[in-house]
Amino acid sequence: MKLDVKKLGGCFVAEVDGVDFSSPVPAAAVAEIIGVLDRFGVAVFRDTGLDDLRHIEFSRQFGRLETAPKLFDAQSTRFAYPELFDAGNLDREGRILTDERRRIYNRGNALWHTDSSFNPHRAAYSLLLAHRVPPVGGDTQFADMRSAYAALPPATRDLIEDLVAEHWLWHSRMIAGYPAPTAAERASKPPSQHRLVQFHAGAGCRTLYLAAHASHIVGWPEATGRQLLQELMAFATQPQFTCAVQWHRPGDLVIWDNRSTMHRATAFEDTLYPRDMRRTTVYDTPG
Ligand code: OGA
Ligand code: MN
């Protein structure tokens, strides 16, 4: 199978055509898509026609899937499948969310981040499928952590070579304005530690593993570590390393590699327009 791969507007995102999602996608096509992700980091597929179940089944072809944590009461989840993460602004009845805690929690997605870096087992791919898109705004931006790493001054590369960052879900949520986590929330998502510099085997290069969830550097005074992380974030999200993906229609699918990119949601009139976005998250292979 030969996929039709185009570079989106001169940046590192690929727009991929030629995948037939109406029946199970052949393993050879999935292998080609993984090759595209190794090269680009982000791939956009238009008009896939996928529904929840086929979204999940297609995702499983990339590896084992995470299940979404039940952070709010079980009644609040909109989906029949535990593998679906809710990145939209709707409640169970399809109305725009009014629950202020959930609205603030969701605002965390507007910070540059890598999905699930707060878990001990990293995520490889995220597959975000649009079900409803607002008429304007609500793009998703991506930052390329391979070119950002490659562009770091050598002294910085030396400095960070062996550093380990601590990632905590509640760190990014508190930055977004969420209240300090309750004991139950803390227990449900304890912090995790990951090396700041990682080698991406598929891409054959080093990457910066950053996220708004990263709170400090292990073994460093907290403030010093936080400052370094903020400097690296500012460096890695400069315009030359970033690009935006526009969601055109329901059925648009974007797959990104969390090991080589960061992403963030951008603003739209979220009290006026529904935005229904559903995500699956594929574990990185162990080791
Ligand atoms: C996500 C996410 C951004 C967006 O689903 O992981 O960060 O634009 N989404 O919805
Ligand atoms: Mn995300």
Side-chain angles (χ1 to χ4, degrees):
M1 166 168 246
K2 198 76 207 103
L3 304 180
D4 177 12
V5 182
K6 279 196 294 282
K7 233 174 166 180
L8 188 83
C11 71
F12 62 93
V13 172
E15 208 163 64
V16 181
D17 237 340
V19 182
D20 177 7
F21 289 98
S22 67
S23 49
V25 177
V30 173
E32 270 190 65
I33 294 169
I34 289 174
V36 168
L37 289 163
D38 283 344
R39 236 175 91 209
F40 290 87
V42 185
V44 182
F45 305 78
R46 302 288 179 193
D47 302 313
T48 61
L50 288 169
D51 61 13
D52 284 345
L53 185 58
R54 279 158 57 227
H55 177 195
I56 291 168
E57 284 170 351
F58 174 58
S59 305
R60 282 211 182 100
Q61 294 186 272
F62 291 80
R64 197 157 69 81
L65 301 187
E66 288 186 28
T67 53
K70 291 201 172 57
L71 295 171
F72 300 95
D73 65 289
Q75 293 309 309
S76 69
T77 172
R78 297 191 291 138
F79 310 135
Y81 303 98
E83 293 87 355
L84 291 179
F85 289 65
D86 195 347
N89 65 340
L90 303 178
D91 68 14
R92 268 172 80 89
E93 277 73 43
R95 291 178 304 226
I96 291 174
L97 277 178
T98 49
D99 177 346
E100 199 52 25
R101 267 170 85 83
R102 289 192 59 194
R103 288 175 56 81
I104 296 171
Y105 181 90
N106 286 355
R107 232 177 269 153
N109 277 350
L111 305 171
W112 283 110
H113 68 281
T114 307
D115 292 334
S116 297
S117 74
F118 43 77
N119 288 338
H121 192 162
R122 292 201 303 161
Y125 307 109
S126 291
L127 295 87
L128 186 63
L129 180 66
H131 287 248
R132 290 183 82 172
V133 297
V136 282
D139 299 351
T140 307
Q141 292 181 337
F142 292 91
D144 182 359
M145 296 296 104
R146 300 157 301 176
S147 35
Y149 177 81
L152 282 173
T156 309
R157 275 193 251 165
D158 287 345
L159 172 73
I160 66 174
E161 174 74 16
D162 292 315
L163 297 183
V164 172
E166 184 157 300
H167 297 244
W168 197 38
L169 170 64
W170 306 112
H171 178 67
S172 56
R173 265 44 202 178
M174 283 191 282
I175 295 176
Y178 196 79
T182 63
E185 285 173 335
R186 280 169 191 271
S188 74
K189 282 286 168 201
S192 293
Q193 300 184 345
H194 300 285
R195 293 181 69 94
L196 206 46
V197 179
Q198 305 256 353
F199 181 72
H200 190 299
C205 65
R206 290 174 171 208
T207 67
L208 259 180
Y209 193 63
L210 285 174
H213 316 303
S215 60
H216 61 278
I217 302 291
V218 176
W220 279 29
E222 230 170 86
T224 322
R226 191 153 302 167
Q227 191 181 339
L228 173 66
L229 288 166
Q230 281 166 359
E231 283 166 13
L232 291 171
M233 283 291 236
F235 182 88
T237 54
Q238 294 176 89
Q240 66 268 35
F241 306 127
T242 66
C243 59
V245 171
Q246 285 180 345
W247 298 90
H248 296 166
R249 279 178 295 278
D252 287 356
L253 170 74
V254 179
I255 310 181
W256 62 85
D257 189 334
N258 287 294
R259 301 162 305 182
S260 54
T261 62
M262 280 199 293
H263 62 278
R264 68 172 175 183
T266 66
F268 69 103
E269 293 279 6
D270 70 341
T271 55
L272 285 184
Y273 299 116
R275 182 172 185 268
D276 184 350
M277 309 293 288
R278 306 178 187 188
R279 192 187 92 216
T280 55
T281 316
V282 181
Y283 280 114
D284 193 9
T285 46

